[in-house]
Amino acid sequence: LLKDSATRQVWRVEAPAEGWLVVSDLWYPGWTAALDGQPVPLWRANYLFRAVRVPAGEHNISMTYRPPWLPVGTLLAGLAWFCFGISCCFWRTLRYNRIV
C-alpha cells in the first residue's frame, strides 16, 4: 500500500500469475479503479468489499472515490447561495427605500 486516504488508495502489486486484489474496505457507488493509469472495472467481492482483476507482473493500482452526487450538490449549493445573496440585496433595497 503506497497511499491511503479517505478518497484514494494506491498499491504496488507484484503478481506471479493472474489474480485479484481484494480490499477489505466497503464497496460503494462512486469508487473507480485504474491499473497502470488505465481505467478498469471495479468489482464487488463477498458483497461488501472492492476487487480488481490483476494480470501477472508488476502493476500500480489506484482506487479513487468521486461521489456521483457531488457535481449536482455543488451546483445546487452555489445556486442557493446566489439566491440568498440576491434576496439579501433586494431586502436591503426595500428597507432603505422604506417600502417595508
Side-chain angles (χ1 to χ4, degrees):
L1 181 61
L2 300 176
K3 181 178 181 181
D4 186 18
S5 70
T7 59
R8 187 153 195 251
Q9 296 174 336
V10 179
W11 291 269
R12 177 100 176 130
V13 177
E14 287 184 37
E18 184 177 343
W20 293 88
L21 170 67
V22 178
V23 180
S24 61
D25 279 346
L26 292 178
W27 181 93
Y28 195 78
W31 279 100
T32 58
L35 177 74
D36 296 327
Q38 300 298 318
V40 293
L42 185 64
W43 301 90
R44 279 189 182 194
N46 296 332
Y47 187 72
L48 291 177
F49 307 127
R50 298 189 306 264
V52 174
R53 182 179 283 283
V54 180
E58 294 184 14
H59 302 283
N60 286 327
I61 299 169
S62 64
M63 293 183 190
T64 306
Y65 180 65
R66 291 191 184 110
W69 50 264
L70 186 62
V72 174
T74 304
L75 178 67
L76 291 176
L79 183 62
W81 277 108
F82 177 75
C83 291
F84 176 72
I86 294 296
S87 66
C88 285
C89 291
F90 182 69
W91 177 255
R92 180 174 286 171
T93 301
L94 291 177
R95 198 166 141 200
Y96 285 133
N97 291 333
R98 300 198 185 257
I99 295 174
V100 174

